[in-house]
Amino acid sequence: VESTIAYIRHRLKVAGSDRDLFTPEALDLIHAYSRGIPRLINVICDNSLFEAFLVRKELVDAETVEGAATDLGLQKVSYASGLARKIDPRTHPVLSPESLNEEEMGSLGLMDEREGG
């Protein structure tokens, strides 16, 4: 969770923000839905920020993240249970094997997908 939060804060700083735009609960949910995958973190944050802007929220809260993640067809991972499901980029609407780098493919256990095996 800490690396996801650090990543989000870094991206916000690069974009010019000098404050947190997500509640602590929202950050926890972003990690649960993204599994710490930067590409998914970006998509969830982008959609959540847009939704919060539309309804004029000062901060992105857990409800906004839940809505954005649901709209994206993502499922939460419960790390407490130890049964984290893996994303299959072959069937996921946000990802495809061609769009992932080697580190992302490896973290999903799909390094052979590009070679067809």
Side-chain angles (χ1 to χ4, degrees):
V1 175
E2 291 80 18
S3 62
T4 297
I5 293 169
Y7 177 78
I8 292 168
R9 286 183 175 149
H10 169 74
R11 298 285 294 181
L12 288 171
K13 184 178 177 182
V14 168
S17 178
D18 58 354
R19 65 185 182 95
D20 284 336
L21 298 178
F22 297 88
T23 66
E25 297 80 15
L27 292 169
D28 288 340
L29 280 176
I30 292 167
H31 180 73
Y33 280 109
S34 71
R35 291 124 173 114
I37 298 169
R39 188 177 307 264
L40 281 177
I41 295 169
N42 293 344
V43 171
I44 295 166
C45 287
D46 183 55
N47 282 270
S48 297
L49 285 165
F50 184 65
E51 290 294 326
F53 170 78
L54 290 176
V55 296
R56 300 181 190 273
K57 288 185 179 179
E58 288 289 319
L59 289 174
V60 176
D61 59 14
E63 179 184 5
T64 303
V65 172
E66 287 276 2
T70 300
D71 290 346
L72 292 165
L74 300 174
Q75 294 181 351
K76 243 186 302 191
V77 171
S78 172
Y79 289 97
S81 70
L83 299 174
R85 285 185 246 164
K86 293 187 177 184
I87 298 171
D88 186 346
R90 296 167 295 197
T91 60
H92 196 277
V94 177
L95 302 173
S96 69
E98 295 76 27
S99 70
L100 299 173
N101 65 37
E102 286 184 17
E103 181 181 343
E104 292 166 327
M105 290 292 286
S107 72
L108 295 172
L110 297 169
M111 278 304 296
D112 296 331
E113 289 299 314
R114 288 197 180 130
E115 291 89 35

